[in-house]
């Protein structure tokens, strides 16, 4: 009781279809750009298949957007929403990403556990905050390297290119960002 949409899976099909059509792309064109098959993309658009985080990122790149934005467009806003922790299989030490916020909101938050593609560079339109919940990371931003340990945070303003990697096993990082669809207001007092 009190958990809004606790059992409902996120359905991204309609959001993917809207974005693809807005770009006037065929399923074949998106398949070529993403490396995913046309039948799989059709199943995703019809909510008969749920893409993995990696597939969703490939799909988002092909649609010139982000996985966060596709997920945000997949679910209407709610005033209260509980996202429960997902059980981790015993012996599963691989990298995991989980969205901490569902729906089309002004803030997005994700939890990254373990290592991930350290070579991938990120650049977000709006500000974001990285918080190291466990372990340690190294973040490269604006030509400088920052080492963060448990409890440390790093704030990045919109437009800053950055990449990061876990430097110890079992690292857990929380990333909170202003959604891409929000037009950030510049500080006029400066």
């Amino acid at each position: 009781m009190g958990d809004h949409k606790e059992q409902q899976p996120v359905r991204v099909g309609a959001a993917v279809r809207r974005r693809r059509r807005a770009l006037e792309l065929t399923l074949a064109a998106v398949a070529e750009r993403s490396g995913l098959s046309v039948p799989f993309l059709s199943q995703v658009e019809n909510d008969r298949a749920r893409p993995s985080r990696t597939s969703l990122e490939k799909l988002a790149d092909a649609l010139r957007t982000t996985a966060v934005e596709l997920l945000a467009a997949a679910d209407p806003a709610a005033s209260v929403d509980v996202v429960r922790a997902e059980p981790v299989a015993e012996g599963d030490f691989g990298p995991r990403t989980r969205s901490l916020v569902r729906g089309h909101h002004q803030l997005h938050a994700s939890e990254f556990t373990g290592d991930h593609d350290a070579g991938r560079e990120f650049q977000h339109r709006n500000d974001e905050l990285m918080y190291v919940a466990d372990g340690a990371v190294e973040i490269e931003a604006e030509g400088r390297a920052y080492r963060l340990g448990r409890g440390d945070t790093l704030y990045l303003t919109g437009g800053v290119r950055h990449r990061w990697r876990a430097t110890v096993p079992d690292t857990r990082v929380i990333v909170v960002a202003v959604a891409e669809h929000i037009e950030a207001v510049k500080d006029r007092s400066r």
Side-chain angles (χ1 to χ4, degrees):
M1 187 168 123
D3 291 347
H4 177 71
K5 293 187 268 183
E6 182 177 42
Q7 300 297 325
Q8 294 181 3
V10 175
R11 297 171 58 153
V12 298
V16 169
R17 183 181 303 109
R18 281 191 303 273
R19 179 69 181 172
R20 178 179 61 81
R21 287 180 177 168
L23 295 172
E24 298 180 358
L25 296 172
T26 63
L27 281 174
V30 175
E32 185 176 323
R33 287 180 175 191
S34 66
L36 302 171
S37 72
V38 171
F40 175 69
L41 293 174
S42 176
Q43 289 178 344
V44 168
E45 283 195 3
N46 291 299
D47 287 319
R48 289 192 308 265
R50 186 173 173 190
S52 68
R53 184 67 177 199
T54 301
S55 294
L56 187 60
E57 287 175 358
K58 288 179 182 180
L59 185 53
D61 288 344
L63 295 172
R64 288 181 257 158
T65 189
T66 65
V68 169
E69 286 303 308
L70 287 176
L71 289 169
D75 196 27
S79 59
V80 175
D81 192 13
V82 173
V83 178
R84 296 285 183 199
E86 298 170 356
V88 178
E90 188 173 327
D92 180 8
F93 301 110
R96 292 182 308 279
T97 303
R98 108 180 146 100
S99 183
L100 301 175
V101 178
R102 291 184 284 222
H104 197 66
H105 299 286
Q106 293 181 11
L107 289 178
H108 292 287
S110 295
E111 176 185 60
F112 297 87
T113 305
D115 210 353
H116 69 101
D117 182 3
R120 184 171 181 178
E121 186 175 68
F122 298 93
Q123 182 180 25
H124 303 286
R125 175 179 174 181
N126 293 318
D127 298 359
E128 76 177 79
L129 175 88
M130 298 180 77
Y131 170 73
V132 181
D134 290 305
V137 298
E138 185 174 86
I139 302 167
E140 180 186 317
E142 296 197 333
R144 290 190 57 198
Y146 302 89
R147 294 178 193 273
L148 304 177
R150 185 174 186 228
D152 292 341
T153 62
L154 179 79
Y155 187 88
L156 299 159
T157 58
V160 172
R161 291 181 185 274
H162 60 285
R163 69 181 90 236
W164 67 277
R165 67 183 185 88
T167 58
V168 299
D170 299 325
T171 293
R172 193 165 51 102
V173 177
I174 308 295
V175 177
V176 179
V178 176
E180 295 287 323
H181 70 277
I182 301 294
E183 183 67 40
V185 179
K186 298 200 184 293
D187 186 356
R188 299 175 200 266
S189 64
R190 292 184 186 175

